Amino acid sequence: MRCIFRLLGVHGHVYSWSFPSSTEMRAMLGEPTCPEEHIVVSSLKGGEDKKNSSSYEDLEVEPETCSICLGILQFIYYDAKGLMVKKGTAISLALSISEQIKKEGHQLDSFSLEVSIPTVIQENEHIVHLYMKRKYRSELWFEERFSKCISTKEVLKFAMTNSLEKLLDVKSGPSSCRIRLTYAQTKPSSTVPSSVERGEGCKRRKTGASPVFDSVNDKLVDASNDCFHLSTTKGNALGESSSNGLEDHESSECIIFPEDKVNDPCHLVFLCYRTPIYLGGRYLKFSRNVSQTRWMIDDERMGEASVEEIIGGYILPVCHGDSYKFHAAGREDIDVRMLGSGRPFLVEIQNARHVPSEALVKEIEININNLNTQLVLVKNLKMVANEGWTLIHEGEAEKQKQYCALVWISRPLENQDLQSIASLKDLQILQKTPVRVLHRRSPLEREKIIHWMKIETIAESSQYFLLHLCTQISKQC
């Protein structure tokens, strides 16, 4: 019945109702002075024209599954377990969705509704329109009614959005939180008729089908000897070539609306998810036995911990996310400390059910620092958006890095050594691939530049000194 209303361009809250009475139908369609409107309703049901009757009572028995929307607007579907579910109204389906959202712990301040339906439904609408156009194009009411046809997706989103807003007590609109309803057909098929050709009857040309989803790959039409039927029990998603083929033959007698009911509604997969959120800042690493990311070789852990696990592993449960990714502006070796102002980093939380407030983010920073005072320290932790990647690129854009190394030489250090080292500017060297990464990188020699060096002597030692270097940044650093 909702398909009848939308194909006649009826707007309003009728799509949120349960099955309408004959009185409500007269109110929505207007009491006809002639039987044409009843003819439309009868035709859309797939029955015979009843030109001599103006009663709507026969419409009060809803068909098992609509052959146009495949039960979507009847709120009938197969669930993830393959069981048929009959909700009947938008509010009933919205109620089950809202309960699942709350059960999963999503905290919403707004949402956007996404709906995906099989393209075979668009083809169904197209064929119905051509059928009605051929049959009623001479009637005055036809263009006025059918030019305002509303799509299945628009009707579903309208009915579901209003219901979800009330149940979730938040408004819909552009949002990082998405509620997605994905409908897919049953009975996949590997072939699809791409056009209707004239000549010796209606011939069918087969071609490879393009699946809309992995589970959706059905045929839409079934051509007999001389007629073109809409048969959604054998449906598939057709492309433009199919629609154009139908358009070319709209004036012929080669389009017949189906009389058989569809027995199989679509499968519905419901998903509520949030686009990734980012927390960024800078980290300092004090231990020479902590890697930046989790490091495993032959199932053996390298180091006592990792910066990634210390920071990301604490943030993830606070945000109630599915997983996290750690991004940093370059990296340092496991036995190299990260001091100074720290290295920029981002923690990307996938499908966070809770977005931390500014106060909670500050608490996260304090807790990380209190728990790992000897290993890692976090500075300036905050929620970031697009500027978060700017923070990462900021570290990568710095062309120079400074290091300090403790050096021992076999002879006493002399003043000439200090002057010789200090005089070297933009020294070009060849750096071999480090032994520790030979298992994953080619053994090559790469040109590097040491911009300057200076020696800092150590009191009471003539063979130990600190060597300060300013070097060219490496993409692998």
Side-chain angles (χ1 to χ4, degrees):
M1 192 58 63
R2 295 179 185 93
C3 275
I4 294 174
F5 283 139
R6 68 182 182 84
L7 290 171
L8 292 174
V10 175
H11 292 262
H13 295 282
V14 61
Y15 303 107
S16 301
W17 295 354
S18 57
F19 192 71
S21 65
S22 58
T23 303
E24 290 170 329
M25 283 198 62
R26 289 191 182 95
M28 295 306 301
L29 298 176
E31 183 66 31
T33 56
C34 58
E36 284 87 348
E37 286 185 347
H38 179 63
I39 296 171
V40 176
V41 173
S42 177
S43 299
L44 290 174
K45 287 182 62 184
E48 295 297 324
D49 296 351
K50 300 181 180 180
K51 296 184 179 181
N52 298 322
S53 173
S54 60
S55 172
Y56 291 87
E57 300 301 326
D58 62 313
L59 297 177
E60 295 196 22
V61 178
E62 185 87 20
E64 184 173 332
T65 302
C66 175
S67 58
I68 301 177
C69 72
L70 306 187
I72 290 177
L73 295 183
Q74 296 167 297
F75 308 103
I76 303 173
Y77 59 91
Y78 285 112
D79 63 13
K81 298 179 180 179
L83 301 175
M84 183 181 290
V85 179
K86 297 182 179 182
K87 293 297 182 180
T89 62
I91 190 69
S92 180
L93 177 58
L95 180 61
S96 63
I97 290 174
S98 64
E99 288 175 348
Q100 184 64 30
I101 291 173
K102 294 173 183 177
K103 182 179 178 181
E104 293 177 1
H106 292 277
Q107 296 181 0
L108 311 181
D109 52 8
S110 63
F111 72 90
S112 62
L113 181 63
E114 299 177 342
V115 175
S116 178
I117 63 175
T119 52
V120 66
I121 293 175
Q122 294 174 318
E123 290 295 326
N124 291 352
E125 295 169 358
H126 183 71
I127 294 176
V128 170
H129 188 275
L130 294 183
Y131 169 77
M132 298 302 294
K133 187 173 183 179
R134 178 179 64 82
K135 196 169 185 69
Y136 300 110
R137 71 175 71 198
S138 61
E139 304 291 344
L140 295 177
W141 55 265
F142 177 78
E143 286 300 328
E144 180 182 356
R145 287 288 190 183
F146 270 74
S147 62
K148 301 176 182 178
C149 174
I150 309 171
S151 71
T152 301
K153 185 181 292 189
E154 287 178 301
V155 168
L156 184 63
K157 291 184 73 172
F158 173 80
M160 292 299 298
T161 298
N162 290 347
S163 300
L164 287 171
E165 283 182 337
K166 295 175 182 177
L167 291 167
L168 298 173
D169 196 26
V170 294
K171 292 294 184 182
S172 65
S175 174
S176 62
C177 188
R178 318 288 174 82
I179 298 175
R180 183 171 183 81
L181 306 179
T182 302
Y183 288 89
Q185 275 185 280
T186 56
K187 298 183 179 178
S189 173
S190 59
T191 59
V192 54
S194 60
S195 64
V196 180
E197 299 178 4
R198 305 189 74 171
E200 298 178 2
C202 289
K203 297 181 180 179
R204 181 169 54 183
R205 182 175 60 198
K206 296 183 179 180
T207 183
S210 299
V212 180
F213 302 102
D214 292 339
S215 60
V216 185
N217 191 12
D218 305 348
K219 289 186 294 181
L220 170 65
V221 289
D222 182 23
S224 62
N225 290 334
D226 58 356
C227 294
F228 191 85
H229 294 265
L230 166 64
S231 180
T232 49
T233 54
K234 301 178 181 180
N236 191 357
L238 287 181
E240 289 185 3
S241 60
S242 173
S243 297
N244 293 338
L246 290 173
E247 194 69 46
D248 293 338
H249 297 82
E250 65 179 38
S251 61
S252 71
E253 297 295 322
C254 201
I255 302 171
I256 295 180
F257 193 77
E259 296 183 0
D260 296 335
K261 294 179 181 178
V262 177
N263 295 319
D264 292 312
C266 294
H267 284 270
L268 171 60
V269 176
F270 156 71
L271 177 66
C272 181
Y273 68 99
R274 186 184 299 276
T275 55
I277 65 171
Y278 299 90
L279 285 84
R282 288 175 175 263
Y283 75 83
L284 286 78
K285 183 174 73 117
F286 304 123
S287 172
R288 297 186 186 276
N289 196 30
V290 172
S291 58
Q292 186 189 80
T293 57
R294 190 168 181 265
W295 188 11
M296 302 289 292
I297 297 180
D298 296 330
D299 296 328
E300 182 179 351
R301 185 187 184 93
M302 301 290 105
E304 60 180 300
S306 70
V307 177
E308 173 188 43
E309 291 169 300
I310 290 172
I311 300 176
Y314 187 87
I315 294 176
L316 180 65
V318 176
C319 297
H320 302 286
D322 291 342
S323 61
Y324 71 89
K325 295 180 181 179
F326 186 84
H327 310 276
R331 62 179 179 266
E332 68 283 331
D333 292 343
I334 187 172
D335 58 348
V336 174
R337 294 184 297 171
M338 182 66 234
L339 305 177
S341 61
R343 188 184 294 278
F345 74 90
L346 282 180
V347 176
E348 176 184 346
I349 304 295
Q350 304 287 337
N351 193 22
R353 290 159 181 80
H354 177 68
V355 179
S357 63
E358 185 176 339
L360 183 55
V361 171
K362 182 56 65 176
E363 184 180 334
I364 292 172
E365 178 181 324
I366 294 171
N367 290 339
I368 291 175
N369 293 340
N370 289 341
L371 292 171
N372 303 278
T373 53
Q374 303 302 315
L375 302 178
V376 172
L377 183 139
V378 174
K379 297 170 56 178
N380 305 323
L381 186 66
K382 59 183 179 180
M383 291 286 301
V384 295
N386 292 336
E387 70 270 17
W389 294 110
T390 303
L391 183 71
I392 294 298
H393 296 320
E394 175 186 312
E396 295 176 346
E398 296 173 7
K399 300 302 181 183
Q400 299 179 354
K401 294 290 180 182
Q402 293 188 27
Y403 299 89
C404 179
L406 176 64
V407 180
W408 177 87
I409 59 174
S410 59
R411 60 175 176 80
L413 188 66
E414 301 177 356
N415 289 335
Q416 185 179 355
D417 296 325
L418 277 67
Q419 296 173 1
S420 176
I421 291 295
S423 66
L424 295 173
K425 304 293 181 183
D426 295 328
L427 176 65
Q428 290 190 350
I429 63 170
L430 292 177
Q431 182 189 44
K432 292 184 178 181
T433 301
V435 174
R436 69 184 182 280
V437 295
L438 279 174
H439 66 283
R440 58 184 173 84
R441 287 172 56 190
S442 302
L444 301 174
E445 292 185 342
R446 297 174 174 84
E447 281 193 4
K448 303 294 178 183
I449 297 176
I450 300 176
H451 296 293
W452 54 261
M453 293 182 287
K454 68 177 182 179
I455 291 176
E456 180 184 349
T457 59
I458 297 176
E460 301 179 359
S461 177
S462 61
Q463 291 178 275
Y464 280 98
F465 63 90
L466 295 177
L467 178 63
H468 296 272
L469 305 94
C470 178
T471 70
Q472 171 192 12
I473 186 173
S474 170
K475 292 181 180 179
Q476 288 80 30
C477 77

